[in-house]
Amino acid sequence: MYEWSEHAVVVDEGIRREVRFISTATGLLYVSLYVAMDSLTSALRLVVCPAWHADGDYGFEVAHHLCAGVAKSGGAAAMFHWPGHGESDGDPRTLTIDQFVNAGEAVVDEVLATYGPGTLAIAGVQVGAVPAVGIARSRHAERLLLIEPDLDVEAHYLAIERTARRTSLGKERPRNWAASRFIPQRLREAPVPIHPLLVDKPSGTKRSAVVRYEQGSPIEQGSPIDYPNVEDLTVSGSRRRRSPDHHLALREVALDWLINVETANA
């Protein structure tokens, strides 16, 4: 039998990346931890909540880029697979927003237990922005970064289903099934509190930002300007267009905000 645990730690470009499975209420959760090989020179502790489903690969790419960048800057970071998605246990059909938040809280606790306390930052990619806000609130994160956020959960999953129907060429698919995965029905039906998602009180969040394409989806029905305490960072282009550099500009703007906010407040 292949002993994967022997290869669960990778060292590259001065970064140590370690894979762990932590126990949660929904089963084992896949977590990828990043830290510089030398020593922790920054207080930044980042947890990235990735996208889900058909956008997972895009979201994972963003998550890994942010984690590696924070590690190179001297901090520590982690990304994970949602319950019922990727390498994590769980049935996506029964998941709720609360279970997503609980999973993220477990990752935050793992990061702080491993690397010690510091300036906690939570980042959410696309629909991962919704539980990211809940995690930032409950764990009193000082930084909150939302990347191309989809805060309307129902609309997000309806769009996934429409895409699946267009690409299936009329083939029959099971109910609530799209792009080779089940749609988390309870997640999409759960009431999602939008206001006041990004208000800094009483969550304790001192700085919040949104990074999005100029032609991307706006927050909720309006603009990030609707949230006066949130910095609005836009990147030229559109998420819907295939990027030859894998959305590098978007990733770099997000990373720059995380690192520079931490440096400015050191």
Side-chain angles (χ1 to χ4, degrees):
M1 184 177 74
Y2 178 73
E3 183 53 55
W4 69 268
S5 60
E6 296 179 1
H7 307 278
V9 176
V10 176
V11 177
D12 185 35
E13 298 182 349
I15 298 174
R16 173 189 170 93
R17 177 183 170 192
E18 178 181 348
V19 170
R20 294 183 187 175
F21 286 87
I22 62 176
S23 296
T24 67
T26 55
L28 293 179
L29 193 76
Y30 171 98
V31 181
S32 187
L33 299 152
Y34 286 78
V35 68
M37 281 298 295
D38 297 333
S39 62
L40 283 167
T41 58
S42 167
L44 188 58
R45 306 288 184 265
L46 171 69
V47 170
V48 185
C49 303
W52 167 274
H53 219 288
D55 293 316
D57 291 342
Y58 158 84
F60 289 161
E61 190 170 54
V62 172
H64 286 297
H65 184 88
L66 294 182
C67 289
V70 166
K72 288 179 182 178
S73 73
M79 62 82 61
F80 59 100
H81 292 177
W82 293 112
H85 189 264
E87 299 296 324
S88 294
D89 292 342
D91 184 346
R93 292 167 292 186
T94 64
L95 295 172
T96 65
I97 287 288
D98 285 343
Q99 288 174 321
F100 270 43
V101 172
N102 292 341
E105 291 170 340
V107 177
V108 169
D109 295 345
E110 187 76 10
V111 168
L112 298 182
T114 302
Y115 303 115
T119 302
L120 178 61
I122 306 296
V125 184
Q126 291 181 309
V127 78
V130 175
V133 172
I135 297 162
R137 277 176 167 173
S138 68
R139 288 300 183 264
H140 305 290
E142 296 178 79
R143 311 281 180 264
L144 176 62
L145 177 64
L146 306 185
I147 303 167
E148 281 286 291
D150 286 339
L151 297 180
D152 188 333
V153 177
E154 175 68 10
H156 177 82
Y157 289 114
L158 283 174
I160 290 175
E161 288 179 310
R162 285 195 297 269
T163 300
R165 285 196 296 269
R166 287 197 300 268
T167 59
S168 63
L169 301 176
K171 296 179 181 178
E172 290 292 328
R173 291 186 179 274
R175 183 174 178 269
N176 301 323
W177 177 273
S180 302
R181 296 186 181 94
F182 280 105
I183 294 286
Q185 189 68 18
R186 290 185 63 191
L187 183 67
R188 65 188 286 184
E189 292 177 346
V192 179
I194 298 298
H195 291 293
L197 273 181
L198 308 179
V199 175
D200 56 353
K201 294 180 181 179
S203 67
T205 302
K206 296 177 181 177
R207 294 282 294 273
S208 300
V210 171
V211 178
R212 62 190 179 96
Y213 281 115
E214 289 176 341
Q215 302 175 38
S217 302
I219 287 186
E220 205 186 293
Q221 300 300 319
S223 159
I225 298 174
D226 294 341
Y227 300 88
N229 297 323
V230 181
E231 300 167 48
D232 183 16
L233 309 174
T234 57
V235 180
S236 61
S238 169
R239 180 178 71 190
R240 302 304 177 188
R241 296 177 182 174
R242 191 175 296 277
S243 172
D245 61 1
H246 301 280
H247 306 280
L248 180 62
L250 186 82
R251 291 184 277 139
E252 285 295 308
V253 168
L255 179 60
D256 184 66
W257 183 85
L258 283 167
I259 293 175
N260 285 337
V261 166
E262 169 59 21
T263 301
N265 290 274

